[in-house]
Amino acid sequence: MTPSPRRSGPPGRPRPASPLGLHRVIDPPGVLPQAAWQLDASPAIAPDEVRVRVDRLNLDAASYRQIRETYAGDPDKIRAAVLDIVATRGKMQNPVTGSGGMLTGTVEEAGPDSPLGLEPGQRIATLVSLTLTPLVINDSLYRWDARSEQVPCEGHAILFARSIAAVLPGDLPVPLSLAVMDVCGAPALTQRVVKQGDVVLVIGTAGKSGSLSAAAARQAGAARVIGVVPTRAEAALLREAGGLADAIVIADARDPVGLADQVAAAGGPADVTVVCVDVAGCEGGAILSTAPGGTVIFFSMATSFSAAALGAEGLAADVTMLVGNGYVPGHADFALDLIRRVPAVRALFERRVAP
Amino acid sequence: MTPSPRRSGPPGRPRPASPLGLHRVIDPPGVLPQAAWQLDASPAIAPDEVRVRVDRLNLDAASYRQIRETYAGDPDKIRAAVLDIVATRGKMQNPVTGSGGMLTGTVEEAGPDSPLGLEPGQRIATLVSLTLTPLVINDSLYRWDARSEQVPCEGHAILFARSIAAVLPGDLPVPLSLAVMDVCGAPALTQRVVKQGDVVLVIGTAGKSGSLSAAAARQAGAARVIGVVPTRAEAALLREAGGLADAIVIADARDPVGLADQVAAAGGPADVTVVCVDVAGCEGGAILSTAPGGTVIFFSMATSFSAAALGAEGLAADVTMLVGNGYVPGHADFALDLIRRVPAVRALFERRVAP
């Protein structure tokens, strides 16, 4: 391992730790860790950092697919490629896709000034991307068959003061907890926006973020939850799970007029609309189904900024449109609590999480 | 002209007018006017519609450029192309770029149920796109030299109940009013979001939407306005105009760490950050320059939805992020009022609007 540049400054003038991890950026200097080509992943922690003993990486699906296809599925080459990225960059960020993933592990050492509230021995998952997490792999990935994006491994990772990690609860299966944590920003922001008595529309209610958001809306005091699903099969699932939506609408969310008409017939327009389907072209329907003065929260990564902005203008729609921020303080605990307390959400998740 | 399909239904059962103009959609049926291939632009108005005698089209720059380049600048062919689009589609929506533009004209007839508050004889500009405005051109465009996107013409256009139009004020030059109306959503939303005592950061303060937003923030009671500009020349312009910003920061808004450091030194972080520069990659800097619990309003069409969503998550930033909606009730009057009352804004605009 090369000497850490954190320690290569003038003697007696160590660079102070940055809550964002700027002190770990080697190349190019001055950028955020996510934008960096190379991070310093050395194990010694600053007073506000945490070191995690890693047991598993969960590679981003697009990243894993790119590597697998490049090496035609050859396990040795796939393992070598991942090892090379991590050794070269000090983080697992696929240079082609730019994406990372997340990891699970056990807290090994928590600096005295870390605000994350973690203690040695706790099993955690990181909720910030691997693209900004300093990482070292020590075991040559010998336990990984390279056939899925689940990578059992040994190594260490560093969390900054402003990283996000959640303790994996002992009472829930790990895959279920990870699936919940993956989308936990949606219910937290929904709960923050919905007010007592609101009509709430959730587009994609039978999905992961959608079912959690519907439950969060209910908890925040929604008078009526209208659930939109694309097919009869999803409507049956949602009905079977029970209790998440007061009305179920089967509609193509890309058809603004059709969606708004059906939502109106089901008790709309909505005071708050939550878009949870990763399908392009849902902006107009969400806007048109929302009452003047209402709010649309876009959680779908398929949302087009310009389609939302120009769509609202073209419809002369006075609606507040929020970019769904994946981070809300306390979001993981809130979502895990929902899945414990709302059987319908748990039932929908368990269908989607492979055992 | 072919018979209007609005009148081709069963006798005695005319299709009711839709505030969104759905009754004017010919092909494909059931979509919004903006998404339609062809609109019915016949001159007879429904009770909630308004007919405008058009005197000028202002083609979207991208649309005009595409047509000019396709016909190598030949004026006859350019005129023929625009005439053909309008005759075929019943609206001026370039089939290649998908974009339109806006128009000015004089109100000819306002239906008794129109909510737009317009009266015959008023000179207006449309604030919704030509892509959804029924339009007929009668003069073969003989007055247009085809050398710019400004198209003097004669014809008529139809406004729906939910269209947006603004009366051109008699006390301001028309080009100035049009430039103000083009960006009037930004100051209106800024004024709505900023609270008494806030620190407000405006990225792109010397520009059109930026200068209006800075003035709106001041009017809403901002305690401190920090203006970001990219160059010393723009800083000098802003300083010369006087009074819009309490602190001027010259920075590259695409460098998150550098921007946030400079904003902090100038009195930040901000409670409200308004992004008004049409440059890609400003999401991280805006987020990092905003205090926890603060709000970022993205007005730039270069904003990437995923960069904003993932950026905030990667920075563990608890900020509310708004998609800048171009429509806020009363936005045009509010912005025109600002340009009348704030000499600095008018000075900056007059530099940018060619006489």
Side-chain angles (χ1 to χ4, degrees), chain A residues 162 192 315 317 321 323 325, chain B residues 162 315 317-318 321 323 325:
Chain A
R162 272 178 79 164
R192 206 184 248 193
L315 296 167
M321 296 183 285
V323 177
N325 181 349
Chain B
R162 272 179 78 164
L315 296 167
D318 180 19
M321 296 183 286
V323 178
N325 182 347

Side-chain angles (χ1 to χ4, degrees), chain B residues 117-119 122-125 165-170 177 181 332-333 336:
Chain B
L118 298 175
E119 287 170 24
Q122 286 179 323
R123 182 110 196 275
I124 62 148
V167 177
L168 287 163
S177 294
M181 289 174 178
D333 289 343
L336 289 167

Side-chain angles (χ1 to χ4, degrees), chain B residues 96-160:
Chain B
V96 178
T97 63
S99 57
M102 44 88 74
L103 63 82
T104 58
T106 304
V107 175
E108 200 167 61
E109 185 184 358
D113 300 338
S114 167
L116 301 183
L118 298 175
E119 287 170 24
Q122 286 179 323
R123 182 110 196 275
I124 62 148
T126 56
L127 302 186
V128 288
S129 171
L130 288 179
T131 59
L132 53 88
T133 304
L135 176 70
V136 169
I137 293 177
N138 301 128
D139 72 343
S140 307
L141 298 178
Y142 75 93
R143 287 189 293 144
W144 183 35
D145 62 9
R147 291 196 178 161
S148 88
E149 63 267 32
Q150 298 287 329
V151 185
C153 69
E154 284 168 38
H156 73 260
I158 305 295
L159 305 181
F160 312 128

Side-chain angles (χ1 to χ4, degrees), chain A residues 20 22 30-32 34 127-129 132 162-164 182 189 192 255-258 284 287-288 298-306 308-329 331, chain B residues 20 22 30-32 34 127-129 132 162-164 182 189 192 255-258 284 287-288 298-306 308-329 331:
Chain A
L20 297 166
L22 299 176
V31 303
L32 289 168
Q34 190 159 37
L127 302 185
V128 287
S129 171
L132 54 88
R162 272 178 79 164
S163 295
I164 323 172
D182 190 38
L189 188 52
R192 206 184 248 193
D255 169 15
V257 177
I287 292 165
L288 205 54
F298 290 106
F299 276 107
S300 164
M301 279 298 156
T303 303
S304 155
F305 182 88
S306 56
L310 298 176
E313 185 171 348
L315 296 167
D318 180 19
V319 294
T320 298
M321 296 183 285
L322 296 178
V323 177
N325 181 349
Y327 176 68
V328 175
H331 58 347
Chain B
L20 296 166
L22 299 176
V31 303
L32 289 167
Q34 190 160 37
L127 302 186
V128 288
S129 171
L132 53 88
R162 272 179 78 164
S163 296
I164 322 172
D182 190 37
L189 187 53
R192 205 185 249 195
D255 169 15
V257 177
I287 291 164
L288 204 54
F298 290 105
F299 275 108
S300 163
M301 279 299 156
T303 302
S304 155
F305 182 87
S306 56
L310 298 177
E313 185 172 348
L315 296 167
D318 180 19
V319 294
T320 298
M321 296 183 286
L322 296 177
V323 178
N325 182 347
Y327 175 67
V328 175
H331 58 346

Side-chain angles (χ1 to χ4, degrees), chain B residues 204-292:
Chain B
T205 315
K208 291 192 286 182
S209 58
S211 60
L212 281 168
S213 297
R218 180 87 70 199
Q219 173 157 328
R224 185 172 183 80
V225 175
I226 304 172
V228 174
V229 292
T231 61
R232 286 187 189 178
E234 293 229 352
L237 273 184
L238 187 55
R239 209 170 285 120
E240 204 174 291
L244 277 182
D246 300 295
I248 298 176
V249 167
I250 304 170
D252 181 349
R254 295 165 301 183
D255 169 15
V257 177
L259 179 67
D261 283 350
Q262 283 187 267
V263 168
D271 299 299
V272 177
T273 295
V274 190
V275 182
C276 292
V277 286
D278 266 329
V279 172
C282 298
E283 299 86 0
I287 291 164
L288 204 54
S289 301
T290 305

